[in-house]
Amino acid sequence: MNKNESTRPSDFIREIIDEDLRTNKYGGRVHTRFPPEPNGYLHVGHAKSICLNYGIALQYGGLFNLRFDDTNPSKEEIEYVKSIIEDIRWLGADWDDRLFYASDYFEQLYDYAVQLIKKGKAYVDDQSADEIRETRGTLTEPGKESPYRNRSVEENLDLFGRMRAGEFGDGSRVLRAKIDMASGNLNMRDPVMYRILKATHHRTGDKWCIYPMYDFAHGQSDSIEGITHSICTLEFEDHRPLYDWYLNELGIHHPQQIEFARLNLSCTIMSKRKLLQLVEEGHVNGWDDPRMPTISGLRRRGYTPESIRTFCDRIGVAKRDSVVDIALLEHCLREDLNKRTQRVMAVLRPLRVVIDNYPEDQTEELEAVNNPEDPSTGTRKVPFSRVLYVERDDFREDPPKKFFRLAPGREVRLKHAYIIKCESIVKDEKTGEVVELHCTYDPQTKSGGAKAARKVKGTLHWVSASHALEAEVRLYDHLFVKANPEDVEEGSDFKANLNPNSLETLASCWIEPNLTGAKSGDRYQFLRLGYFCVDPDSSNGKLVFNRTVSLYDTWAKIEKAQRKR
RNA sequence: UGGGGCGUCGUCAAGUGGUAAGACACAAGACUUUGGAUCUUGGAUCCCAGGUUCGAAUCCUGGCGCCCCAGCCA
């Protein structure tokens, strides 16, 4: 990420920060954080938050912390903290040595709780979870005060100490803040601060058997770290009064919580719970399945961190619920890949072509530009010979209007090579399927040659049959068929909208020999087809490619329009 | 019938009383040895209704609509 402010849009959060800087609210400091709970993998929605928080720190010359909100040992795992760290690094955010965990603060948090008890602002409640729920009231009715609400400070102190000591069973008691059971804001109706959970924590082990709730841990952790602007999503708006209450009662450094709308993307889902469901029920092949909106999925798919950052900049930051068209993400991807990716030829659905008038034993090394967008990347040699493969889609026995590709009697240019003409076709006797094309080439039309200027309507990519490498190619499409996956019939759920064709595997494709030795993660543009990257499933013997995103396909659009007529 | 938010082009999103940026998508065209890339062109009166004002998307009043909250989850 860079701090190029001219391209960075302003938003209401930066306006608040500008104002705080103007009034010297935090002594000119700007300090943000990203506070993930390690109970799942990060997705693009998190990327938006990371880019926002890190971007602001960078822009204002401030600091950015990574802090795991690990206050619920029953849901959290070390596997998730590892993946989260890896993903944020990959995205390009940098927290220097400020990697923290809410669990680092358990002792301090405990002390804060004791302070509140001493102030008469917190009490131990012996009611069961059910009783607490029942007495919380409803959206329209106030709650009832707990019979234990007015215990003495001494008794509360004693009980809380014994809770920590492990004298009581899970769920038998909680520590509650004493606020207002009649508040219109349910979060203020004596919220639970600590619960008893005899579970092993991935960092603190069995040291604790009481754990702070999010509301009690989050704001105080922000405070301890000296955070100035605590940026979170809209659903925490209702929690801000509580966030403020704890900090005010404790009289400690008071960051400002600011809420923004989380990212929603069309044709996919962002709920961690549902993503987990897709993984566990085998609808996808893991968290890093290239169809997943997870950072690890996007990475494996071939997305660049730059393209994701650009995307996050372009979608803006606001407070209204919104659904961003996934086409924008894909546009940012293509824009980046177009500039940086080497062009290469690959034939996904091969159709054999024999150039009848080309010498049987001859091979030419033709010069091919690596990237027309970046001449400094130079050229490479591509072998040409008598037997080639072209794309099956590039031939039609009975071509429709505006079809500029190969057909009986038609001429076409082979990229970097010659103009060829289709003289005859060979069909499978039984199925009638076209299995081979016989063509002639015009030696005068060699690319770069004297008479190369002759124009033909179409240009095809190709590969020399005897030189090409065989590869597996995985084509991906949107995970869901509807823009809004939740748009389903009564009684059904989002899985009904899963796209049955989101993955198509092509087992034997042919790619130009220059890709020998391509490594996992390497990205290429397959000419006229799209951007592809080498999947980690590749072995020495066989390369496996993921289609990151297709190229804009004007012909497909024309054809679709023709079908409508 | 409680509390908290939000409503500007198909989708995001600027605009902060002076006469509706930009991006994506879409459509049309130019160019092209990737039907790629690139370039040009096109389109919103701002949820509704009143009001204030010379002038309102921006201010006031009243509606309507959408989202979030009743975990000892975050």
PDB file of all heavy atoms in Angstrom, chain B residues 55-66:
ATOM      1  P     G B  55     -37.112  31.078  -4.051  1.00  0.00           P
ATOM      2  OP1   G B  55     -38.308  30.440  -4.652  1.00  0.00           O
ATOM      3  OP2   G B  55     -37.072  31.348  -2.602  1.00  0.00           O
ATOM      4  O5'   G B  55     -35.831  30.220  -4.455  1.00  0.00           O
ATOM      5  C5'   G B  55     -35.666  29.802  -5.809  1.00  0.00           C
ATOM      6  C4'   G B  55     -34.298  29.178  -5.985  1.00  0.00           C
ATOM      7  O4'   G B  55     -33.289  30.154  -5.641  1.00  0.00           O
ATOM      8  C3'   G B  55     -33.995  28.005  -5.073  1.00  0.00           C
ATOM      9  O3'   G B  55     -34.497  26.802  -5.621  1.00  0.00           O
ATOM     10  C2'   G B  55     -32.468  27.998  -5.058  1.00  0.00           C
ATOM     11  O2'   G B  55     -31.927  27.406  -6.215  1.00  0.00           O
ATOM     12  C1'   G B  55     -32.160  29.494  -5.071  1.00  0.00           C
ATOM     13  N9    G B  55     -31.941  30.040  -3.735  1.00  0.00           N
ATOM     14  C8    G B  55     -32.799  30.841  -2.999  1.00  0.00           C
ATOM     15  N7    G B  55     -32.307  31.170  -1.830  1.00  0.00           N
ATOM     16  C5    G B  55     -31.062  30.548  -1.799  1.00  0.00           C
ATOM     17  C6    G B  55     -30.074  30.552  -0.780  1.00  0.00           C
ATOM     18  O6    G B  55     -30.095  31.114   0.315  1.00  0.00           O
ATOM     19  N1    G B  55     -28.965  29.790  -1.145  1.00  0.00           N
ATOM     20  C2    G B  55     -28.834  29.129  -2.346  1.00  0.00           C
ATOM     21  N2    G B  55     -27.693  28.453  -2.517  1.00  0.00           N
ATOM     22  N3    G B  55     -29.743  29.127  -3.300  1.00  0.00           N
ATOM     23  C4    G B  55     -30.822  29.845  -2.965  1.00  0.00           C
ATOM     24  P     A B  56     -34.897  25.613  -4.637  1.00  0.00           P
ATOM     25  OP1   A B  56     -35.354  24.513  -5.528  1.00  0.00           O
ATOM     26  OP2   A B  56     -35.799  26.163  -3.617  1.00  0.00           O
ATOM     27  O5'   A B  56     -33.507  25.216  -3.927  1.00  0.00           O
ATOM     28  C5'   A B  56     -32.426  24.516  -4.614  1.00  0.00           C
ATOM     29  C4'   A B  56     -32.101  23.245  -3.848  1.00  0.00           C
ATOM     30  O4'   A B  56     -31.789  23.648  -2.511  1.00  0.00           O
ATOM     31  C3'   A B  56     -33.342  22.361  -3.801  1.00  0.00           C
ATOM     32  O3'   A B  56     -33.376  21.360  -4.795  1.00  0.00           O
ATOM     33  C2'   A B  56     -33.491  21.948  -2.310  1.00  0.00           C
ATOM     34  O2'   A B  56     -33.138  20.619  -2.124  1.00  0.00           O
ATOM     35  C1'   A B  56     -32.483  22.844  -1.582  1.00  0.00           C
ATOM     36  N9    A B  56     -33.036  23.676  -0.529  1.00  0.00           N
ATOM     37  C8    A B  56     -34.262  24.250  -0.384  1.00  0.00           C
ATOM     38  N7    A B  56     -34.403  24.953   0.716  1.00  0.00           N
ATOM     39  C5    A B  56     -33.158  24.824   1.338  1.00  0.00           C
ATOM     40  C6    A B  56     -32.642  25.334   2.539  1.00  0.00           C
ATOM     41  N6    A B  56     -33.322  26.110   3.364  1.00  0.00           N
ATOM     42  N1    A B  56     -31.377  25.005   2.849  1.00  0.00           N
ATOM     43  C2    A B  56     -30.688  24.236   2.031  1.00  0.00           C
ATOM     44  N3    A B  56     -31.067  23.709   0.864  1.00  0.00           N
ATOM     45  C4    A B  56     -32.330  24.042   0.580  1.00  0.00           C
ATOM     46  P     A B  57     -32.456  20.346  -5.342  1.00  0.00           P
ATOM     47  OP1   A B  57     -31.163  20.847  -5.862  1.00  0.00           O
ATOM     48  OP2   A B  57     -33.475  19.855  -6.248  1.00  0.00           O
ATOM     49  O5'   A B  57     -32.081  19.194  -4.304  1.00  0.00           O
ATOM     50  C5'   A B  57     -32.806  17.977  -4.296  1.00  0.00           C
ATOM     51  C4'   A B  57     -32.180  17.009  -3.330  1.00  0.00           C
ATOM     52  O4'   A B  57     -30.925  16.559  -3.871  1.00  0.00           O
ATOM     53  C3'   A B  57     -31.817  17.626  -1.983  1.00  0.00           C
ATOM     54  O3'   A B  57     -32.911  17.562  -1.118  1.00  0.00           O
ATOM     55  C2'   A B  57     -30.690  16.720  -1.519  1.00  0.00           C
ATOM     56  O2'   A B  57     -31.170  15.512  -0.966  1.00  0.00           O
ATOM     57  C1'   A B  57     -29.985  16.407  -2.838  1.00  0.00           C
ATOM     58  N9    A B  57     -28.876  17.313  -3.106  1.00  0.00           N
ATOM     59  C8    A B  57     -28.799  18.328  -4.012  1.00  0.00           C
ATOM     60  N7    A B  57     -27.642  18.965  -4.016  1.00  0.00           N
ATOM     61  C5    A B  57     -26.917  18.315  -3.035  1.00  0.00           C
ATOM     62  C6    A B  57     -25.628  18.511  -2.545  1.00  0.00           C
ATOM     63  N6    A B  57     -24.785  19.441  -2.998  1.00  0.00           N
ATOM     64  N1    A B  57     -25.196  17.694  -1.566  1.00  0.00           N
ATOM     65  C2    A B  57     -26.028  16.755  -1.110  1.00  0.00           C
ATOM     66  N3    A B  57     -27.271  16.470  -1.483  1.00  0.00           N
ATOM     67  C4    A B  57     -27.665  17.296  -2.473  1.00  0.00           C
ATOM     68  P     U B  58     -32.896  18.402   0.247  1.00  0.00           P
ATOM     69  OP1   U B  58     -34.137  18.109   0.955  1.00  0.00           O
ATOM     70  OP2   U B  58     -32.534  19.807  -0.072  1.00  0.00           O
ATOM     71  O5'   U B  58     -31.697  17.790   1.057  1.00  0.00           O
ATOM     72  C5'   U B  58     -31.263  18.359   2.280  1.00  0.00           C
ATOM     73  C4'   U B  58     -29.773  18.569   2.248  1.00  0.00           C
ATOM     74  O4'   U B  58     -29.360  18.840   0.895  1.00  0.00           O
ATOM     75  C3'   U B  58     -29.302  19.758   3.085  1.00  0.00           C
ATOM     76  O3'   U B  58     -28.667  19.256   4.252  1.00  0.00           O
ATOM     77  C2'   U B  58     -28.325  20.522   2.228  1.00  0.00           C
ATOM     78  O2'   U B  58     -27.055  20.573   2.805  1.00  0.00           O
ATOM     79  C1'   U B  58     -28.256  19.705   0.924  1.00  0.00           C
ATOM     80  N1    U B  58     -28.217  20.469  -0.310  1.00  0.00           N
ATOM     81  C2    U B  58     -26.995  21.026  -0.661  1.00  0.00           C
ATOM     82  O2    U B  58     -26.026  20.960   0.066  1.00  0.00           O
ATOM     83  N3    U B  58     -26.994  21.671  -1.865  1.00  0.00           N
ATOM     84  C4    U B  58     -28.040  21.797  -2.744  1.00  0.00           C
ATOM     85  O4    U B  58     -27.858  22.384  -3.793  1.00  0.00           O
ATOM     86  C5    U B  58     -29.269  21.211  -2.313  1.00  0.00           C
ATOM     87  C6    U B  58     -29.314  20.579  -1.130  1.00  0.00           C
ATOM     88  P     C B  59     -29.563  18.920   5.535  1.00  0.00           P
ATOM     89  OP1   C B  59     -28.636  18.552   6.630  1.00  0.00           O
ATOM     90  OP2   C B  59     -30.656  17.994   5.150  1.00  0.00           O
ATOM     91  O5'   C B  59     -30.225  20.326   5.863  1.00  0.00           O
ATOM     92  C5'   C B  59     -29.589  21.247   6.745  1.00  0.00           C
ATOM     93  C4'   C B  59     -30.602  22.264   7.184  1.00  0.00           C
ATOM     94  O4'   C B  59     -30.973  23.086   6.047  1.00  0.00           O
ATOM     95  C3'   C B  59     -31.925  21.673   7.646  1.00  0.00           C
ATOM     96  O3'   C B  59     -31.859  21.273   9.011  1.00  0.00           O
ATOM     97  C2'   C B  59     -32.880  22.827   7.428  1.00  0.00           C
ATOM     98  O2'   C B  59     -32.781  23.785   8.454  1.00  0.00           O
ATOM     99  C1'   C B  59     -32.347  23.417   6.119  1.00  0.00           C
ATOM    100  N1    C B  59     -33.026  22.880   4.916  1.00  0.00           N
ATOM    101  C2    C B  59     -34.370  23.237   4.694  1.00  0.00           C
ATOM    102  O2    C B  59     -34.933  23.973   5.521  1.00  0.00           O
ATOM    103  N3    C B  59     -34.997  22.762   3.603  1.00  0.00           N
ATOM    104  C4    C B  59     -34.350  21.975   2.746  1.00  0.00           C
ATOM    105  N4    C B  59     -35.010  21.540   1.676  1.00  0.00           N
ATOM    106  C5    C B  59     -32.996  21.595   2.947  1.00  0.00           C
ATOM    107  C6    C B  59     -32.369  22.069   4.030  1.00  0.00           C
ATOM    108  P     C B  60     -32.809  20.130   9.549  1.00  0.00           P
ATOM    109  OP1   C B  60     -32.380  19.807  10.928  1.00  0.00           O
ATOM    110  OP2   C B  60     -32.878  19.060   8.521  1.00  0.00           O
ATOM    111  O5'   C B  60     -34.229  20.835   9.613  1.00  0.00           O
ATOM    112  C5'   C B  60     -34.469  21.905  10.535  1.00  0.00           C
ATOM    113  C4'   C B  60     -35.912  22.295  10.458  1.00  0.00           C
ATOM    114  O4'   C B  60     -36.189  22.852   9.141  1.00  0.00           O
ATOM    115  C3'   C B  60     -36.882  21.124  10.565  1.00  0.00           C
ATOM    116  O3'   C B  60     -37.146  20.805  11.919  1.00  0.00           O
ATOM    117  C2'   C B  60     -38.118  21.660   9.849  1.00  0.00           C
ATOM    118  O2'   C B  60     -38.880  22.512  10.668  1.00  0.00           O
ATOM    119  C1'   C B  60     -37.482  22.472   8.715  1.00  0.00           C
ATOM    120  N1    C B  60     -37.360  21.713   7.459  1.00  0.00           N
ATOM    121  C2    C B  60     -38.512  21.540   6.669  1.00  0.00           C
ATOM    122  O2    C B  60     -39.580  22.007   7.064  1.00  0.00           O
ATOM    123  N3    C B  60     -38.403  20.862   5.506  1.00  0.00           N
ATOM    124  C4    C B  60     -37.219  20.370   5.129  1.00  0.00           C
ATOM    125  N4    C B  60     -37.163  19.711   3.965  1.00  0.00           N
ATOM    126  C5    C B  60     -36.046  20.519   5.919  1.00  0.00           C
ATOM    127  C6    C B  60     -36.156  21.196   7.065  1.00  0.00           C
ATOM    128  P     U B  61     -37.583  19.322  12.316  1.00  0.00           P
ATOM    129  OP1   U B  61     -37.667  19.243  13.785  1.00  0.00           O
ATOM    130  OP2   U B  61     -36.742  18.354  11.551  1.00  0.00           O
ATOM    131  O5'   U B  61     -39.057  19.245  11.727  1.00  0.00           O
ATOM    132  C5'   U B  61     -40.090  20.082  12.265  1.00  0.00           C
ATOM    133  C4'   U B  61     -41.388  19.790  11.547  1.00  0.00           C
ATOM    134  O4'   U B  61     -41.304  20.259  10.173  1.00  0.00           O
ATOM    135  C3'   U B  61     -41.724  18.315  11.401  1.00  0.00           C
ATOM    136  O3'   U B  61     -42.321  17.801  12.574  1.00  0.00           O
ATOM    137  C2'   U B  61     -42.694  18.327  10.221  1.00  0.00           C
ATOM    138  O2'   U B  61     -43.995  18.734  10.598  1.00  0.00           O
ATOM    139  C1'   U B  61     -42.071  19.403   9.329  1.00  0.00           C
ATOM    140  N1    U B  61     -41.181  18.815   8.312  1.00  0.00           N
ATOM    141  C2    U B  61     -41.772  18.330   7.156  1.00  0.00           C
ATOM    142  O2    U B  61     -42.964  18.363   6.968  1.00  0.00           O
ATOM    143  N3    U B  61     -40.899  17.795   6.248  1.00  0.00           N
ATOM    144  C4    U B  61     -39.526  17.687   6.370  1.00  0.00           C
ATOM    145  O4    U B  61     -38.880  17.186   5.468  1.00  0.00           O
ATOM    146  C5    U B  61     -38.998  18.223   7.603  1.00  0.00           C
ATOM    147  C6    U B  61     -39.820  18.756   8.502  1.00  0.00           C
ATOM    148  P     G B  62     -42.169  16.259  12.933  1.00  0.00           P
ATOM    149  OP1   G B  62     -42.722  16.057  14.286  1.00  0.00           O
ATOM    150  OP2   G B  62     -40.786  15.849  12.614  1.00  0.00           O
ATOM    151  O5'   G B  62     -43.143  15.578  11.877  1.00  0.00           O
ATOM    152  C5'   G B  62     -44.520  15.936  11.864  1.00  0.00           C
ATOM    153  C4'   G B  62     -45.184  15.322  10.650  1.00  0.00           C
ATOM    154  O4'   G B  62     -44.701  15.950   9.450  1.00  0.00           O
ATOM    155  C3'   G B  62     -44.881  13.849  10.424  1.00  0.00           C
ATOM    156  O3'   G B  62     -45.653  13.020  11.266  1.00  0.00           O
ATOM    157  C2'   G B  62     -45.245  13.686   8.950  1.00  0.00           C
ATOM    158  O2'   G B  62     -46.633  13.585   8.765  1.00  0.00           O
ATOM    159  C1'   G B  62     -44.731  15.017   8.373  1.00  0.00           C
ATOM    160  N9    G B  62     -43.386  14.859   7.831  1.00  0.00           N
ATOM    161  C8    G B  62     -42.187  15.140   8.447  1.00  0.00           C
ATOM    162  N7    G B  62     -41.149  14.850   7.699  1.00  0.00           N
ATOM    163  C5    G B  62     -41.695  14.347   6.532  1.00  0.00           C
ATOM    164  C6    G B  62     -41.076  13.867   5.361  1.00  0.00           C
ATOM    165  O6    G B  62     -39.866  13.778   5.105  1.00  0.00           O
ATOM    166  N1    G B  62     -42.008  13.444   4.409  1.00  0.00           N
ATOM    167  C2    G B  62     -43.372  13.504   4.582  1.00  0.00           C
ATOM    168  N2    G B  62     -44.115  13.053   3.562  1.00  0.00           N
ATOM    169  N3    G B  62     -43.967  13.954   5.665  1.00  0.00           N
ATOM    170  C4    G B  62     -43.072  14.351   6.597  1.00  0.00           C
ATOM    171  P     G B  63     -45.340  11.466  11.338  1.00  0.00           P
ATOM    172  OP1   G B  63     -46.088  10.898  12.456  1.00  0.00           O
ATOM    173  OP2   G B  63     -43.866  11.250  11.233  1.00  0.00           O
ATOM    174  O5'   G B  63     -46.005  10.975   9.987  1.00  0.00           O
ATOM    175  C5'   G B  63     -45.582   9.776   9.419  1.00  0.00           C
ATOM    176  C4'   G B  63     -46.024   9.734   7.986  1.00  0.00           C
ATOM    177  O4'   G B  63     -45.446  10.872   7.280  1.00  0.00           O
ATOM    178  C3'   G B  63     -45.495   8.512   7.267  1.00  0.00           C
ATOM    179  O3'   G B  63     -46.398   7.443   7.452  1.00  0.00           O
ATOM    180  C2'   G B  63     -45.347   8.983   5.837  1.00  0.00           C
ATOM    181  O2'   G B  63     -46.573   8.953   5.144  1.00  0.00           O
ATOM    182  C1'   G B  63     -44.888  10.435   6.044  1.00  0.00           C
ATOM    183  N9    G B  63     -43.435  10.555   6.168  1.00  0.00           N
ATOM    184  C8    G B  63     -42.730  11.038   7.250  1.00  0.00           C
ATOM    185  N7    G B  63     -41.430  11.026   7.064  1.00  0.00           N
ATOM    186  C5    G B  63     -41.272  10.505   5.789  1.00  0.00           C
ATOM    187  C6    G B  63     -40.089  10.265   5.041  1.00  0.00           C
ATOM    188  O6    G B  63     -38.927  10.465   5.371  1.00  0.00           O
ATOM    189  N1    G B  63     -40.379   9.714   3.798  1.00  0.00           N
ATOM    190  C2    G B  63     -41.644   9.448   3.327  1.00  0.00           C
ATOM    191  N2    G B  63     -41.714   8.934   2.106  1.00  0.00           N
ATOM    192  N3    G B  63     -42.753   9.678   4.007  1.00  0.00           N
ATOM    193  C4    G B  63     -42.494  10.208   5.224  1.00  0.00           C
ATOM    194  P     C B  64     -45.830   6.098   8.016  1.00  0.00           P
ATOM    195  OP1   C B  64     -46.986   5.267   8.404  1.00  0.00           O
ATOM    196  OP2   C B  64     -44.764   6.384   8.997  1.00  0.00           O
ATOM    197  O5'   C B  64     -45.178   5.482   6.701  1.00  0.00           O
ATOM    198  C5'   C B  64     -45.937   5.400   5.498  1.00  0.00           C
ATOM    199  C4'   C B  64     -45.024   5.117   4.331  1.00  0.00           C
ATOM    200  O4'   C B  64     -44.203   6.283   4.060  1.00  0.00           O
ATOM    201  C3'   C B  64     -44.010   4.013   4.579  1.00  0.00           C
ATOM    202  O3'   C B  64     -44.569   2.733   4.397  1.00  0.00           O
ATOM    203  C2'   C B  64     -42.961   4.331   3.523  1.00  0.00           C
ATOM    204  O2'   C B  64     -43.356   3.929   2.239  1.00  0.00           O
ATOM    205  C1'   C B  64     -42.929   5.863   3.590  1.00  0.00           C
ATOM    206  N1    C B  64     -41.898   6.343   4.525  1.00  0.00           N
ATOM    207  C2    C B  64     -40.561   6.333   4.117  1.00  0.00           C
ATOM    208  O2    C B  64     -40.287   5.925   2.978  1.00  0.00           O
ATOM    209  N3    C B  64     -39.591   6.763   4.972  1.00  0.00           N
ATOM    210  C4    C B  64     -39.936   7.186   6.186  1.00  0.00           C
ATOM    211  N4    C B  64     -38.956   7.592   6.987  1.00  0.00           N
ATOM    212  C5    C B  64     -41.288   7.213   6.631  1.00  0.00           C
ATOM    213  C6    C B  64     -42.232   6.789   5.780  1.00  0.00           C
ATOM    214  P     G B  65     -43.967   1.513   5.243  1.00  0.00           P
ATOM    215  OP1   G B  65     -44.851   0.355   5.046  1.00  0.00           O
ATOM    216  OP2   G B  65     -43.653   1.985   6.609  1.00  0.00           O
ATOM    217  O5'   G B  65     -42.590   1.239   4.495  1.00  0.00           O
ATOM    218  C5'   G B  65     -42.592   0.898   3.114  1.00  0.00           C
ATOM    219  C4'   G B  65     -41.182   0.882   2.612  1.00  0.00           C
ATOM    220  O4'   G B  65     -40.612   2.220   2.720  1.00  0.00           O
ATOM    221  C3'   G B  65     -40.225   0.021   3.426  1.00  0.00           C
ATOM    222  O3'   G B  65     -40.310  -1.336   3.035  1.00  0.00           O
ATOM    223  C2'   G B  65     -38.876   0.627   3.051  1.00  0.00           C
ATOM    224  O2'   G B  65     -38.449   0.198   1.782  1.00  0.00           O
ATOM    225  C1'   G B  65     -39.221   2.121   2.988  1.00  0.00           C
ATOM    226  N9    G B  65     -38.920   2.830   4.236  1.00  0.00           N
ATOM    227  C8    G B  65     -39.803   3.261   5.191  1.00  0.00           C
ATOM    228  N7    G B  65     -39.216   3.880   6.192  1.00  0.00           N
ATOM    229  C5    G B  65     -37.869   3.852   5.862  1.00  0.00           C
ATOM    230  C6    G B  65     -36.742   4.367   6.555  1.00  0.00           C
ATOM    231  O6    G B  65     -36.697   4.980   7.622  1.00  0.00           O
ATOM    232  N1    G B  65     -35.554   4.107   5.861  1.00  0.00           N
ATOM    233  C2    G B  65     -35.474   3.448   4.668  1.00  0.00           C
ATOM    234  N2    G B  65     -34.241   3.297   4.164  1.00  0.00           N
ATOM    235  N3    G B  65     -36.514   2.970   4.013  1.00  0.00           N
ATOM    236  C4    G B  65     -37.670   3.204   4.660  1.00  0.00           C
ATOM    237  P     C B  66     -39.935  -2.469   4.105  1.00  0.00           P
ATOM    238  OP1   C B  66     -40.334  -3.760   3.523  1.00  0.00           O
ATOM    239  OP2   C B  66     -40.428  -2.052   5.426  1.00  0.00           O
ATOM    240  O5'   C B  66     -38.339  -2.412   4.146  1.00  0.00           O
ATOM    241  C5'   C B  66     -37.569  -2.816   3.013  1.00  0.00           C
ATOM    242  C4'   C B  66     -36.113  -2.507   3.248  1.00  0.00           C
ATOM    243  O4'   C B  66     -35.959  -1.066   3.430  1.00  0.00           O
ATOM    244  C3'   C B  66     -35.516  -3.090   4.515  1.00  0.00           C
ATOM    245  O3'   C B  66     -35.138  -4.440   4.355  1.00  0.00           O
ATOM    246  C2'   C B  66     -34.304  -2.188   4.711  1.00  0.00           C
ATOM    247  O2'   C B  66     -33.253  -2.518   3.836  1.00  0.00           O
ATOM    248  C1'   C B  66     -34.874  -0.826   4.313  1.00  0.00           C
ATOM    249  N1    C B  66     -35.369  -0.076   5.479  1.00  0.00           N
ATOM    250  C2    C B  66     -34.433   0.594   6.278  1.00  0.00           C
ATOM    251  O2    C B  66     -33.234   0.525   5.976  1.00  0.00           O
ATOM    252  N3    C B  66     -34.855   1.292   7.363  1.00  0.00           N
ATOM    253  C4    C B  66     -36.154   1.327   7.658  1.00  0.00           C
ATOM    254  N4    C B  66     -36.523   2.023   8.733  1.00  0.00           N
ATOM    255  C5    C B  66     -37.136   0.653   6.863  1.00  0.00           C
ATOM    256  C6    C B  66     -36.695  -0.031   5.789  1.00  0.00           C
TER     257        C B  66
END
